[in-house]
């Protein structure tokens, strides 16, 4: 089966929309950057699926960030994406994490921050507590608070694949909660194995074989990191030259690493001189 796709679908006889996401290669790119404990690998898979589903709801060109923070052994887990379904992510943790650690055991007292950043327009940020048993339930709570639209979310991940489904009432004038409740019950029956092994068309047929479903063409999901040597050079410019020279004197180089993809960017003394010379030149021309 094809992997790393996002599918949108509509019900012809109900004001409800749906999405289905299946991830493999892009998910592996994210979790291979670090030696994550099993529970964090699964969490990042669910978070990737969730971010993809949320990205598909955007009505603008821009970026989205879904970030989990807490005071537990896992201090951060974040997936960044955009309207082109380009995703990257990272997590930070301290100490041992059991393979079956729950959301609360990982984050303690935590919260989720969803940030939407349009290319044109103002940034929007929503916050919801991580006080439910699953990430999916916390996201449903977010939609209940932010948009007051009934929403159903299913998320799955193991160490190889991740997948998810999203169901939501369309914002229309009518009251269609009855349709949504019926379709939500059907969606609840989806199994991890089905989303991991079947084509989207077959999954939807199994779940909604008595409904009229319009399935749109899939959108490919890719892992894409925005790091570069130029961006690393820009970060170096924010530090005083004396501090950078001291590092060069001690280590012979400055090494900048990307948390997301684990790429390393190396700058020697000649590179550093050029960075600050270019910075000074640009200041003069402004």
């Amino acid at each position: 089966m094809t992997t790393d796709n996002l599918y949108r679908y509509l019900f012809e006889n109900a004001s409800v929309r749906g999405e289905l996401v299946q991830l493999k290669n892009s998910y592996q790119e994210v979790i291979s950057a670090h030696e994550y404990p099993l529970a964090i690998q699964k969490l990042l898979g669910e978070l990737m699926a969730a971010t993809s589903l949320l990205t598909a709801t955007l009505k603008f060109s821009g970026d989205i960030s879904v970030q989990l923070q807490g005071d537990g052994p896992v201090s951060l887990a974040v997936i960044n994406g955009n309207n082109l379904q380009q995703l990257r992510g990272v997590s930070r943790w301290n100490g041992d994490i059991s393979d079956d650690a729950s959301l609360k055991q990982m984050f303690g007292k935590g919260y989720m921050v969803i940030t939407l950043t349009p290319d044109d327009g103002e940034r929007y940020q929503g916050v919801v507590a991580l006080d439910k048993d699953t990430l999916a339930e916390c996201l449903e709570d977010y939609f209940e608070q932010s948009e007051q639209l009934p929403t159903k979310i299913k998320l799955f991940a193991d160490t190889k694949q991740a997948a998810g489904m999203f169901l939501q009432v369309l914002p229309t004038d009518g009251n269609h909660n009855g349709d949504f409740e019926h379709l939500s019950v059907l969606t609840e029956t989806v199994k991890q194995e089905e989303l991991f092994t079947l084509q989207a068309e077959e999954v939807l047929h199994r779940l909604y074989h008595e409904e009229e479903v319009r399935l749109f063409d899939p959108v490919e999901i890719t892992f894409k990191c925005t790091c570069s040597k130029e961006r690393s050079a820009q970060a170096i410019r924010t530090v005083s030259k004396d501090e950078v020279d001291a590092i060069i004197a001690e280590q012979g180089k400055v090494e900048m690493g990307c948390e997301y993809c684990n790429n390393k960017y190396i700058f020697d003394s000649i590179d550093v001189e050029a960075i600050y010379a270019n910075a000074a030149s640009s200041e003069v021309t402004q």
Side-chain angles (χ1 to χ4, degrees):
M1 61 177 288
T2 56
T3 61
D4 301 85
N5 284 316
L6 184 283
Y7 300 84
R8 297 179 180 89
Y9 57 96
L10 289 173
F11 295 92
E12 300 287 8
N13 300 316
S15 292
V16 178
R17 64 176 172 176
E19 299 167 14
L20 185 154
V21 63
Q22 295 170 313
L23 302 168
K24 189 173 185 180
N25 296 335
S26 57
Y27 171 43
Q28 290 301 312
E29 290 269 13
V30 167
I31 63 174
S32 64
H34 301 280
E35 294 184 4
Y36 290 118
L38 180 63
I40 294 182
Q41 290 185 41
K42 293 180 178 179
L43 172 69
L44 284 171
E46 289 191 10
L47 197 56
M48 274 192 82
T51 305
S52 175
L53 294 169
L54 267 62
T55 301
T57 70
L58 298 182
K59 300 176 179 64
F60 58 80
S61 296
D63 300 326
I64 183 171
S65 170
V66 183
Q67 182 170 306
L68 312 182
Q69 297 184 20
D71 59 8
V74 181
S75 59
L76 171 76
V78 60
I79 299 292
N80 297 325
N82 59 28
N83 60 292
L84 301 176
Q85 289 292 335
Q86 297 169 330
L87 304 177
R88 66 175 187 159
V90 71
S91 180
R92 298 184 196 133
W93 79 101
N94 184 30
D96 295 329
I97 310 290
S98 65
D99 290 350
D100 59 352
S102 67
L103 201 60
K104 185 170 182 59
Q105 288 169 335
M106 284 191 280
F107 287 94
K109 186 176 181 181
Y111 55 93
M112 173 168 55
V113 182
I114 297 177
T115 306
L116 307 178
T117 309
D119 292 339
D120 298 306
E122 294 187 7
R123 188 175 76 160
Y124 167 81
Q125 196 167 72
V127 182
V128 66
L130 294 177
D131 56 0
K132 302 292 189 294
D133 291 335
T134 67
L135 177 61
E137 290 173 302
C138 293
L139 282 163
E140 289 171 356
D141 200 32
Y142 165 79
F143 278 102
E144 182 65 32
Q145 293 181 28
S146 66
E147 298 187 23
Q148 289 84 50
L149 290 174
T151 304
K152 179 70 178 177
I153 296 174
K154 297 285 288 183
L155 299 171
F156 301 99
D158 59 14
T159 58
K160 294 182 174 61
Q161 295 173 259
M165 293 191 72
F166 175 97
L167 205 68
Q168 189 176 66
V169 170
L170 288 169
T172 61
D173 295 333
N175 184 349
H176 302 282
N177 286 7
D179 292 333
F180 173 80
E181 290 300 328
H182 166 66
L183 295 170
S184 180
V185 169
L186 297 179
T187 306
E188 180 64 34
T189 65
V190 72
K191 297 178 177 59
Q192 173 175 292
E193 182 183 2
E194 292 175 313
L195 285 175
F196 283 1
T197 61
L198 301 178
Q199 297 284 355
E201 294 87 346
E202 188 170 351
V203 173
L204 297 182
H205 178 71
R206 286 192 178 195
L207 292 177
Y208 314 122
H209 58 273
E210 294 184 355
E211 311 295 329
E212 287 188 47
V213 181
R214 189 197 323 168
L215 178 63
F216 297 93
D217 290 337
V219 177
E220 184 182 8
I221 300 161
T222 57
F223 171 83
K224 183 175 177 61
C225 192
T226 57
C227 73
S228 67
K229 190 158 187 174
E230 183 179 359
R231 287 196 171 198
S232 295
Q234 290 172 355
I236 290 175
R237 287 193 196 105
T238 65
V239 181
S240 75
K241 188 171 184 299
D242 288 342
E243 288 184 59
V244 177
D245 285 342
I247 296 172
I248 291 284
E250 180 183 340
Q251 302 179 14
K253 63 183 180 180
V254 175
E255 184 174 298
M256 301 285 286
C258 175
E259 273 194 295
Y260 286 90
C261 67
N262 229 7
N263 271 348
K264 299 287 191 295
Y265 299 98
I266 309 297
F267 300 86
D268 60 19
S269 58
I270 297 174
D271 295 326
V272 169
E273 290 297 330
I275 287 171
Y276 287 98
N278 290 339
S281 174
S282 64
E283 288 175 3
V284 169
T285 58
Q286 285 178 0

